[in-house]
Amino acid sequence: MTSNKRVCILYTGGTIGMVPTEFGYAPKKDYFNTLLNQIHQMKSPALPSWDVVEFDPLLDSSNIAIDEWNNIGRAIAERYEEYDGFVVLHGTDTMSYTASALSFMLEGLNKPVVFTGAQIPLCELRSDGRDNLINSIIIAGEGIIREVCVYFGGKLLRANRSTKIASKELQAFDSPDYPALAEVRIDICYNESAMSLPSRPKTFHFTELQSFPIGVLKLFPGFQFELFEGMINSNLKAVVLEAFGSGNIPTNNRALVDGIRKSAENGTIITVTSQCQRGGTTLGTYATSNDLVESGAISASDMTTEAAIAKLYYLFSCGYDTDRVKLLMETNLRGEMNDVV
Ligand code: ASP
């Protein structure tokens, strides 16, 4: 069977196209097409036809941040009508951050944007990149999914629910608190019930992000607030506070509690995520979250830290005031969370 679909591959870097160098694996300019030409399945008429856009510079994803998110979003927006779907080749290290950000930046998306990559480069015999790439192109061409997602090691995940869970396994990603959108077995089995999304505009709209001062603070037993005071009391627009369990903090640590309260009074949005992979935060369940409730901190519900950071950048970039950002942080916009009840 011949496919009449068209897929655009945006190659940003990452292990998939890397080569060994004296300093370790690194991307190599103008080399990716050579690698693709060695994969005979890439020439199959059953595969959607594809074009590659190679980014310059190619990056290890540790070096990817807001400018690159904008470049990826712009590249998709400029070609949106031309293709049935998009595959973004990206390093695995920060893939969930970028994919989460794109899920907010691309509003009203009506076709698949599939992030993938590899744990072993294509130039190596046992690369997982071939399967990841080919399945991602097929999923992008099929057009069943209409959102940003991550395909890796047989699973298609909602982007803003995904997280990198393994640095040495081929199943490197999971969405611990949300079912997979599809599983690739002999057939590609889509999970219809997981594919529902909050209502969205009919027209596609791309929002560029700007940089804002946002912090992430992970609590641990024995946390010495004095060491972090400079950070939390500076002019941060938001702090993602990775708290214990359902959103609890050591309330006997008065320096911490007072610091959070002061920072909230100064207008910093305290967004509370959970260190647990499943279930998220429900502030007010325990007395050890009461100080957070009283200081006006908001619950990130079951959002991942990656999604919470991306969403904060997005909402600030939309120009919303503090109250609106707080309200929307507790509202499910792109399937990233259960609404806070
Ligand atoms: N360091 C690499 C990157 O994130 C790892 C990978 O792609 O698997 O670009």
Side-chain angles (χ1 to χ4, degrees):
M1 217 174 57
T2 304
S3 172
N4 58 0
K5 303 291 185 181
R6 296 189 68 203
V7 169
C8 181
I9 302 171
L10 304 175
Y11 170 45
T12 69
T15 294
I16 192 161
M18 287 189 183
V19 294
T21 73
E22 59 179 309
F23 307 110
Y25 283 118
K28 184 173 168 184
K29 193 172 156 52
D30 296 331
Y31 179 60
F32 197 61
N33 273 313
T34 314
L35 289 168
L36 294 186
N37 284 331
Q38 290 163 3
I39 305 174
H40 70 91
Q41 293 98 320
M42 292 296 287
K43 296 177 189 122
S44 165
L47 198 66
S49 63
W50 47 270
D51 298 312
V52 178
V53 177
E54 179 167 315
F55 280 44
D56 184 19
L58 292 169
L59 293 172
D60 184 298
S61 73
S62 307
N63 287 321
I64 286 189
I66 296 166
D67 282 349
E68 290 75 26
W69 298 350
N70 285 332
N71 292 342
I72 296 168
R74 212 176 300 116
I76 292 171
E78 282 168 5
R79 296 165 179 81
Y80 188 70
E81 298 302 337
E82 261 179 81
Y83 292 95
D84 296 288
F86 296 84
V87 171
V88 183
L89 297 180
H90 192 287
T92 59
D93 289 346
T94 67
M95 188 184 292
S96 289
Y97 289 91
T98 306
S100 293
L102 266 295
S103 78
F104 294 107
M105 296 159 77
L106 305 175
E107 197 181 5
L109 195 61
N110 203 23
K111 39 187 88 175
V113 173
V114 187
F115 276 73
T116 196
Q119 291 280 66
I120 307 175
L122 280 172
C123 66
E124 304 284 1
L125 184 62
R126 290 183 50 251
S127 177
D128 53 332
R130 270 178 292 272
D131 273 0
N132 285 346
L133 175 60
I134 288 165
N135 282 309
S136 296
I137 295 174
I138 292 169
I139 290 165
E142 277 181 336
I144 293 171
I145 294 284
R146 284 147 193 243
E147 59 180 287
V148 184
C149 41
V150 168
Y151 177 76
F152 220 92
K155 279 190 185 173
L156 185 70
L157 308 171
R158 176 163 289 168
N160 52 38
R161 294 287 195 152
S162 72
T163 191
K164 184 172 178 180
I165 52 153
S167 59
K168 294 207 168 57
E169 291 162 36
L170 301 185
Q171 181 58 64
F173 288 85
D174 197 5
S175 55
D177 217 4
Y178 199 77
L181 300 176
E183 296 205 11
V184 173
R185 307 181 192 137
I186 288 180
D187 296 312
I188 299 178
C189 306
Y190 288 94
N191 180 359
E192 298 274 340
S193 62
M195 281 158 53
S196 69
L197 284 164
S199 67
R200 55 209 182 135
K202 294 221 168 10
T203 49
F204 170 72
H205 180 73
F206 163 58
T207 305
E208 289 211 9
L209 299 194
Q210 294 151 41
S211 182
F212 290 95
I214 290 172
V216 178
L217 201 61
K218 180 171 182 162
L219 296 182
F220 55 89
F223 186 90
Q224 288 175 270
F225 180 74
E226 314 74 69
L227 302 178
F228 299 90
E229 201 161 6
M231 171 184 158
I232 200 164
N233 281 340
S234 62
N235 288 325
L236 285 176
K237 282 184 81 77
V239 170
V240 176
L241 184 69
E242 292 192 358
F244 306 130
S246 57
N248 305 314
I249 60 170
T251 41
N252 55 6
N253 185 338
R254 293 320 292 175
L256 170 70
V257 171
D258 290 346
I260 290 173
R261 182 166 294 159
K262 221 186 294 162
S263 150
E265 280 166 12
N266 288 340
T268 301
I269 297 174
I270 311 287
T271 302
V272 189
T273 61
S274 174
Q275 293 180 18
C276 297
Q277 289 204 330
R278 282 195 284 275
T281 52
T282 310
L283 299 184
T285 307
Y286 290 91
T288 44
S289 63
N290 188 50
D291 285 300
L292 291 175
V293 176
E294 284 187 355
S295 68
I298 55 164
S299 171
S301 180
D302 51 355
M303 251 190 292
T304 60
T305 295
E306 292 91 324
I309 292 169
K311 190 170 174 181
L312 284 165
Y313 277 129
Y314 169 70
L315 295 175
F316 288 131
S317 299
C318 289
Y320 299 134
D321 64 24
T322 303
D323 285 344
R324 183 111 185 110
V325 173
K326 285 171 92 166
L327 178 78
L328 292 177
M329 280 303 284
E330 292 193 327
T331 308
N332 181 12
L333 299 182
R334 305 278 195 274
E336 75 281 5
M337 68 191 296
N338 285 322
D339 279 317
V340 175
V341 281

